[in-house]
Amino acid sequence: MKYLSTKNISTPASLKDAVLSGMPGDGGLFLPASIPTLSPQQLEALSTLSFQEIAQIMASKFLSEDIPPGELRDMVTNSMNLDVKLIQLSERLSILETFHGPTMAFKDFGARFMARLMSYLIKGDDRELTILVATSGDTGSAVASGFLGIPGIRVIILYPSGKVSPSQEKQLTTQGQNIQALEVDGNFDDCQRLVKCAFADSELRSRLRLSSANSINIARLIPQSFYYAFTAGKMRQKSDEFVISVPSGNFGNLTAGLMAKRMGVPIQHFIASTNSNDVFPEFLKSGDFKPRPSDQTISNAMDVGDPSNLSRIRYLFEDDIASIRSEISSWSFDDMKTREMISQIFKRYDYVIDPHTAVGILGLDKYQDIHQSTLPGVVISTAHPAKFPESVEPVIGEVIPVPPQLAQYLEREKQATHMSTEYEDFRQYLMDTLI
Ligand SMILES: *Cc1c(COP(=O)(O)O)cnc(C)c1O
């Protein structure tokens, strides 16, 4: 299958070019040239299949032209071996837990799948692939864990010294093997600038094969569409229709949901729930997109002021605001409302949620309220509450036990190389560590 740029200027790319380059040269983002569809029999079968079985079917829809069946099956088996659980809290509210992977956030799906797909795509090439990732926390840990031990690829993670949480830092710096952590004496923007300078350095790139693993890569969206199909299968046992609320920052998760719907997965409506970084709800209201610097909130993985996947959403709806509105509603909620919802869900159901999930539930509540809707709703729970004890524990008045996945990192020794914010130093490091 070919991959098109949302700007429609570059010529269509192969799977290999789209995934290894990450981004088309014209500044747009890649989308499949045509979104494949599930057959009526496959849609019928969703309610009886496991998540892994659904993942196999969906993956082959996207990738069977490019990857032989045995290889594709192994890739999906070895990356999508993650639990997905749908928890019904009430008639109108179910929670899709997508946080049972190694870093306890939904980003594990994308990172694990992308790692194995990239490894397959570079097979037989003579040069090692170096992946550069600038991170403020969550993306880096999912990528570090997803690429651990993947042959032919080394990952270099740049994170701002003192600006990620202690538990995140452990997840970034204790993996070892093919994962190297650089502790940059600056902020996230400095990390991102160093990565950008390396990509723009043609002499470096003639020596080093570089790629990125950020959330705009189409390889991360494809596996995220799988759990939407799984949800639709589970919900069909209860109702013909349902709505789904997605806690959103860069809108990669939501875009994957839209792709699943285009494949035929029956989802009545999407709710894009945001924290006080409200450029998307404002865009739906006014029709004008006005990016702006992000504000810090307790749902910090959604602190995004210029959501990168907006160009994909506009492309999918031919930039027609009325049709976007017909499929997506969006509201924003501040930290006070977020804390209130964490408390309310704990009191009512004895169930602990993280701040991102709380924003998602607020969005669903608002939708059901405004539309007087009795349709059941699903909220995607994007992270385990134990990742955010400093926000959640004071609200519920209890200590959240640390799950074994997270505890194992805490015991390990941090291994990071200090790095200045000078590009020359970073460049020298890349050259010196070249194997
Ligand atoms: C990344 C992240 C989000 C936002 O996902 P997008 O695909 O960027 O919209 C929400 N919640 C958590 C916990 C995340 O890590």
Side-chain angles (χ1 to χ4, degrees), residues 327-338:
E327 279 192 42
I328 313 173
S329 303
S330 185
W331 293 281
S332 94
F333 305 93
D334 64 16
D335 282 352
M336 198 173 84
K337 285 251 175 342
T338 306

PDB file of all heavy atoms in Angstrom, residues 327-338:
ATOM      1  N   GLU A 327     -19.117  14.158  13.477  1.00  0.00           N
ATOM      2  CA  GLU A 327     -18.562  12.918  14.046  1.00  0.00           C
ATOM      3  C   GLU A 327     -17.812  13.117  15.352  1.00  0.00           C
ATOM      4  O   GLU A 327     -17.584  12.158  16.083  1.00  0.00           O
ATOM      5  CB  GLU A 327     -17.627  12.242  13.032  1.00  0.00           C
ATOM      6  CG  GLU A 327     -18.400  11.441  12.004  1.00  0.00           C
ATOM      7  CD  GLU A 327     -17.523  10.533  11.154  1.00  0.00           C
ATOM      8  OE1 GLU A 327     -16.612   9.888  11.700  1.00  0.00           O
ATOM      9  OE2 GLU A 327     -17.762  10.501   9.936  1.00  0.00           O
ATOM     10  N   ILE A 328     -17.367  14.364  15.617  1.00  0.00           N
ATOM     11  CA  ILE A 328     -16.576  14.606  16.828  1.00  0.00           C
ATOM     12  C   ILE A 328     -17.142  15.794  17.600  1.00  0.00           C
ATOM     13  O   ILE A 328     -17.401  16.856  17.012  1.00  0.00           O
ATOM     14  CB  ILE A 328     -15.093  14.941  16.481  1.00  0.00           C
ATOM     15  CG1 ILE A 328     -14.517  13.953  15.460  1.00  0.00           C
ATOM     16  CG2 ILE A 328     -14.239  14.947  17.745  1.00  0.00           C
ATOM     17  CD1 ILE A 328     -13.121  14.333  14.961  1.00  0.00           C
ATOM     18  N   SER A 329     -17.347  15.618  18.891  1.00  0.00           N
ATOM     19  CA  SER A 329     -17.618  16.748  19.785  1.00  0.00           C
ATOM     20  C   SER A 329     -16.389  16.935  20.648  1.00  0.00           C
ATOM     21  O   SER A 329     -15.622  15.995  20.843  1.00  0.00           O
ATOM     22  CB  SER A 329     -18.810  16.459  20.697  1.00  0.00           C
ATOM     23  OG  SER A 329     -19.952  16.154  19.935  1.00  0.00           O
ATOM     24  N   SER A 330     -16.209  18.142  21.180  1.00  0.00           N
ATOM     25  CA  SER A 330     -15.009  18.354  21.993  1.00  0.00           C
ATOM     26  C   SER A 330     -15.236  19.418  23.058  1.00  0.00           C
ATOM     27  O   SER A 330     -15.850  20.456  22.792  1.00  0.00           O
ATOM     28  CB  SER A 330     -13.847  18.762  21.076  1.00  0.00           C
ATOM     29  OG  SER A 330     -12.651  18.852  21.814  1.00  0.00           O
ATOM     30  N   TRP A 331     -14.771  19.100  24.260  1.00  0.00           N
ATOM     31  CA  TRP A 331     -14.824  20.072  25.351  1.00  0.00           C
ATOM     32  C   TRP A 331     -13.531  20.037  26.137  1.00  0.00           C
ATOM     33  O   TRP A 331     -12.814  19.035  26.111  1.00  0.00           O
ATOM     34  CB  TRP A 331     -15.981  19.752  26.305  1.00  0.00           C
ATOM     35  CG  TRP A 331     -17.320  19.948  25.683  1.00  0.00           C
ATOM     36  CD1 TRP A 331     -17.978  21.122  25.485  1.00  0.00           C
ATOM     37  CD2 TRP A 331     -18.174  18.925  25.142  1.00  0.00           C
ATOM     38  NE1 TRP A 331     -19.191  20.899  24.867  1.00  0.00           N
ATOM     39  CE2 TRP A 331     -19.328  19.559  24.639  1.00  0.00           C
ATOM     40  CE3 TRP A 331     -18.067  17.532  25.022  1.00  0.00           C
ATOM     41  CZ2 TRP A 331     -20.371  18.858  24.042  1.00  0.00           C
ATOM     42  CZ3 TRP A 331     -19.106  16.837  24.426  1.00  0.00           C
ATOM     43  CH2 TRP A 331     -20.238  17.497  23.944  1.00  0.00           C
ATOM     44  N   SER A 332     -13.277  21.117  26.865  1.00  0.00           N
ATOM     45  CA  SER A 332     -12.073  21.155  27.700  1.00  0.00           C
ATOM     46  C   SER A 332     -12.464  21.288  29.178  1.00  0.00           C
ATOM     47  O   SER A 332     -13.525  21.835  29.493  1.00  0.00           O
ATOM     48  CB  SER A 332     -11.177  22.316  27.268  1.00  0.00           C
ATOM     49  OG  SER A 332     -11.440  23.467  28.037  1.00  0.00           O
ATOM     50  N   PHE A 333     -11.622  20.765  30.053  1.00  0.00           N
ATOM     51  CA  PHE A 333     -11.897  20.750  31.493  1.00  0.00           C
ATOM     52  C   PHE A 333     -10.632  21.102  32.256  1.00  0.00           C
ATOM     53  O   PHE A 333      -9.549  20.620  31.908  1.00  0.00           O
ATOM     54  CB  PHE A 333     -12.408  19.369  31.915  1.00  0.00           C
ATOM     55  CG  PHE A 333     -13.609  18.928  31.114  1.00  0.00           C
ATOM     56  CD1 PHE A 333     -13.443  18.149  29.969  1.00  0.00           C
ATOM     57  CD2 PHE A 333     -14.879  19.333  31.472  1.00  0.00           C
ATOM     58  CE1 PHE A 333     -14.537  17.779  29.199  1.00  0.00           C
ATOM     59  CE2 PHE A 333     -15.990  18.966  30.713  1.00  0.00           C
ATOM     60  CZ  PHE A 333     -15.814  18.185  29.570  1.00  0.00           C
ATOM     61  N   ASP A 334     -10.783  21.909  33.309  1.00  0.00           N
ATOM     62  CA  ASP A 334      -9.591  22.336  34.056  1.00  0.00           C
ATOM     63  C   ASP A 334      -9.209  21.325  35.152  1.00  0.00           C
ATOM     64  O   ASP A 334      -9.914  20.323  35.355  1.00  0.00           O
ATOM     65  CB  ASP A 334      -9.792  23.747  34.625  1.00  0.00           C
ATOM     66  CG  ASP A 334     -10.914  23.799  35.643  1.00  0.00           C
ATOM     67  OD1 ASP A 334     -11.343  22.735  36.134  1.00  0.00           O
ATOM     68  OD2 ASP A 334     -11.378  24.916  35.955  1.00  0.00           O
ATOM     69  N   ASP A 335      -8.116  21.606  35.835  1.00  0.00           N
ATOM     70  CA  ASP A 335      -7.618  20.679  36.859  1.00  0.00           C
ATOM     71  C   ASP A 335      -8.602  20.501  38.017  1.00  0.00           C
ATOM     72  O   ASP A 335      -8.697  19.412  38.597  1.00  0.00           O
ATOM     73  CB  ASP A 335      -6.266  21.176  37.410  1.00  0.00           C
ATOM     74  CG  ASP A 335      -5.115  20.879  36.451  1.00  0.00           C
ATOM     75  OD1 ASP A 335      -5.332  20.164  35.457  1.00  0.00           O
ATOM     76  OD2 ASP A 335      -3.991  21.366  36.709  1.00  0.00           O
ATOM     77  N   MET A 336      -9.351  21.549  38.344  1.00  0.00           N
ATOM     78  CA  MET A 336     -10.281  21.418  39.465  1.00  0.00           C
ATOM     79  C   MET A 336     -11.362  20.394  39.124  1.00  0.00           C
ATOM     80  O   MET A 336     -11.654  19.484  39.905  1.00  0.00           O
ATOM     81  CB  MET A 336     -10.898  22.772  39.796  1.00  0.00           C
ATOM     82  CG  MET A 336     -11.510  22.807  41.184  1.00  0.00           C
ATOM     83  SD  MET A 336     -12.033  24.458  41.624  1.00  0.00           S
ATOM     84  CE  MET A 336     -13.635  24.495  40.840  1.00  0.00           C
ATOM     85  N   LYS A 337     -11.934  20.519  37.943  1.00  0.00           N
ATOM     86  CA  LYS A 337     -12.949  19.561  37.489  1.00  0.00           C
ATOM     87  C   LYS A 337     -12.358  18.145  37.413  1.00  0.00           C
ATOM     88  O   LYS A 337     -13.018  17.159  37.739  1.00  0.00           O
ATOM     89  CB  LYS A 337     -13.441  19.961  36.094  1.00  0.00           C
ATOM     90  CG  LYS A 337     -14.368  21.144  36.056  1.00  0.00           C
ATOM     91  CD  LYS A 337     -15.763  20.632  35.723  1.00  0.00           C
ATOM     92  CE  LYS A 337     -16.881  21.647  35.753  1.00  0.00           C
ATOM     93  NZ  LYS A 337     -16.706  22.889  36.422  1.00  0.00           N
ATOM     94  N   THR A 338     -11.093  18.075  36.977  1.00  0.00           N
ATOM     95  CA  THR A 338     -10.436  16.771  36.836  1.00  0.00           C
ATOM     96  C   THR A 338     -10.318  16.086  38.196  1.00  0.00           C
ATOM     97  O   THR A 338     -10.652  14.901  38.350  1.00  0.00           O
ATOM     98  CB  THR A 338      -9.035  16.971  36.220  1.00  0.00           C
ATOM     99  OG1 THR A 338      -9.172  17.701  34.999  1.00  0.00           O
ATOM    100  CG2 THR A 338      -8.358  15.644  35.939  1.00  0.00           C
TER     101      THR A 338
END
